[in-house]
């Protein structure tokens, strides 16, 4: 599962939570910036990031990365 709406999450963090940068957000929330960046760019979804998003009520959508029988990634 990966976060499908990373750009929307970034905007929410910047405007609704009034954070100038994602690194500022990660530092203040005690999150690993690398994990946050990879999660928002759709490379990987880390539990700690999803838990923080749930706690702060940041809207996000997950999509499956399971492979289909043909070996292609389902979207």
């Amino acid at each position: 599962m990966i976060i499908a709406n990373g750009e929307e999450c970034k905007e929410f963090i910047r405007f609704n939570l009034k954070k100038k940068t994602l690194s500022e957000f990660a530092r203040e929330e005690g999150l690993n910036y690398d994990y946050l960046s990879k999660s928002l760019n759709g490379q990987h979804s880390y539990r700690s990031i999803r838990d923080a998003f749930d706690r702060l009520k940041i809207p996000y959508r997950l999509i499956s990365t399971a492979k289909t029988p043909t070996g292609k990634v389902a979207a």
Side-chain angles (χ1 to χ4, degrees):
M1 303 293 275
I2 60 171
I3 294 177
N5 62 332
E7 289 301 316
E8 292 172 24
C9 293
K10 290 176 190 177
E11 289 180 20
F12 186 92
I13 291 167
R14 289 187 189 117
F15 297 112
N16 293 34
L17 301 179
K18 300 184 181 0
K19 303 297 177 196
K20 291 183 181 178
T21 64
L22 293 175
S23 61
E24 174 189 10
F25 170 73
R27 187 174 43 256
E28 288 181 7
E29 294 300 322
L31 300 172
N32 181 313
Y33 175 75
D34 226 19
Y35 288 4
L36 176 63
S37 178
K38 286 179 181 178
S39 291
L40 292 175
N41 290 327
Q43 295 172 324
H44 190 75
S45 180
Y46 293 90
R47 181 75 188 175
S48 59
I49 302 302
R50 294 192 312 268
D51 289 347
F53 283 13
D54 289 341
R55 185 178 75 248
L56 297 166
K57 301 196 180 345
I58 298 172
Y60 67 94
R61 279 182 286 118
L62 293 175
I63 59 173
S64 174
T65 58
K67 294 195 178 206
T68 64
T70 62
K72 295 181 180 177
V73 174

